[in-house]
Amino acid sequence: MRIPGPEEIRALHEKHAPTAEAFTSVHRHCELVWSVAEQLLAAPRLAHLDAELVRAGCLLHDIGVYRLYDDAGQLDHANYIRHGLLGQELLESEGLPATLCRFCSHHTGVGVTRQDVVSQNLPVPPADYLAETAEERLVMYADKFHSKSHPGRFLSPEAYAAHVRRFGEQKVTAFRALRDEFGDPDLARLTPQAELPPVTG
C-alpha cells in the first residue's frame, strides 16, 4: 500500500478546504495530533507500530470537517459527528485505500458504538465506529489531546477524562485503557507548538 506523505496530504487539505480559515483550523489540528502521536511512538514498546501509517492517519483524520462548512463559511456543529464518515467518503473519492479511509470514520471520541448511535439518535448509519488496529487506536488517542475548540491549546489527560465522562463511565474506562496502552504525552514539551499552556481541567 502506498502511503501519501505530508506534502501530498497538505495538497489534499488545500484542495478540499472551503476557506483559508478552515484550512488553518483543520490542517493545523491534524499536524498537532501527529506531534502527539510522534512523541508517543518514541517509546520502545510501540516500535512495532507503522509510524508512516500513523502519520498519514493523523494528518488525514479530520479532512471530512471541510464538508460541514456552508457557503457562508459557517461550520455545521449540529452534524459534526458526521465528519468522520464524510472524510471516509472524501478519501474514497480520491482513490485512497480503505486502510487510510478508516482513520476518518473510526477516530471519534473513544469509539462510537451502534448502541451510541441508536440511543443518542446520532445522524449516522447505525454501526460500530471503533478503532481496531493499534495504529487506528493511536490516532484516535492522540486526537483527544488537542481540540479545535481550544485553538492553540492541548488538553491534559485529566481534562479529556472529565469531558468524556458526560457520555458515561464506560467511555472513561475506554480512555483509561488507551492511556495504559500508549502512555501519557508530555504536553509541556509540545506546548510551544500550540503556543499556549494545556487545558488541565
Side-chain angles (χ1 to χ4, degrees):
M1 177 181 69
R2 191 185 73 79
I3 300 174
E7 291 308 312
E8 188 177 346
I9 291 172
R10 181 187 176 94
L12 273 177
H13 278 266
E14 291 174 336
K15 175 181 178 181
H16 291 282
T19 65
E21 292 78 10
F23 170 80
T24 299
S25 172
V26 175
H27 187 257
R28 182 64 176 144
H29 164 72
C30 290
E31 288 184 318
L32 290 169
V33 170
W34 165 236
S35 75
V36 174
E38 184 179 29
Q39 184 193 91
L40 294 170
L41 281 168
R45 65 195 175 106
L46 300 182
H48 63 287
L49 271 67
D50 185 333
E52 192 179 2
L53 181 59
V54 171
R55 180 180 66 192
C58 289
L59 295 178
L60 288 166
H61 76 280
D62 262 0
I63 201 165
V65 173
Y66 295 135
R67 292 195 166 175
L68 289 170
Y69 283 89
D70 64 20
D71 293 339
Q74 297 300 307
L75 184 62
D76 179 2
H77 292 281
N79 284 298
Y80 191 79
I81 190 75
R82 296 186 61 233
H83 79 280
L85 281 178
L86 293 171
Q88 177 178 322
E89 292 168 4
L90 187 157
L91 295 186
E92 287 172 348
S93 74
E94 290 285 349
L96 271 68
T99 301
L100 289 174
C101 299
R102 280 181 53 90
F103 284 108
C104 293
S105 52
H106 293 74
H107 78 269
T108 302
V110 288
V112 176
T113 66
R114 178 185 296 269
Q115 183 180 349
D116 293 332
V117 174
V118 173
S119 66
Q120 298 174 43
N121 197 28
L122 301 177
V124 293
D128 288 325
Y129 303 96
L130 303 171
E132 295 176 2
T133 67
E135 286 81 3
E136 287 177 356
R137 289 194 301 276
L138 179 54
V139 171
M140 180 176 71
Y141 179 61
D143 181 47
K144 306 295 86 83
F145 295 100
H146 186 264
S147 167
K148 291 183 293 297
S149 62
H150 287 285
R153 289 181 183 267
F154 287 111
L155 299 176
S156 71
E158 294 75 21
Y160 185 79
H163 162 77
V164 81
R165 181 165 274 112
R166 62 190 171 132
F167 299 107
E169 284 301 318
Q170 74 278 11
K171 301 298 186 184
V172 178
T173 299
F175 181 61
R176 188 178 304 116
L178 291 168
R179 290 180 71 180
D180 290 343
E181 181 176 5
F182 298 113
D184 289 347
D186 182 352
L187 298 175
R189 190 151 60 90
L190 292 171
T191 292
Q193 298 178 56
E195 298 166 9
L196 295 169
V199 176
T200 57

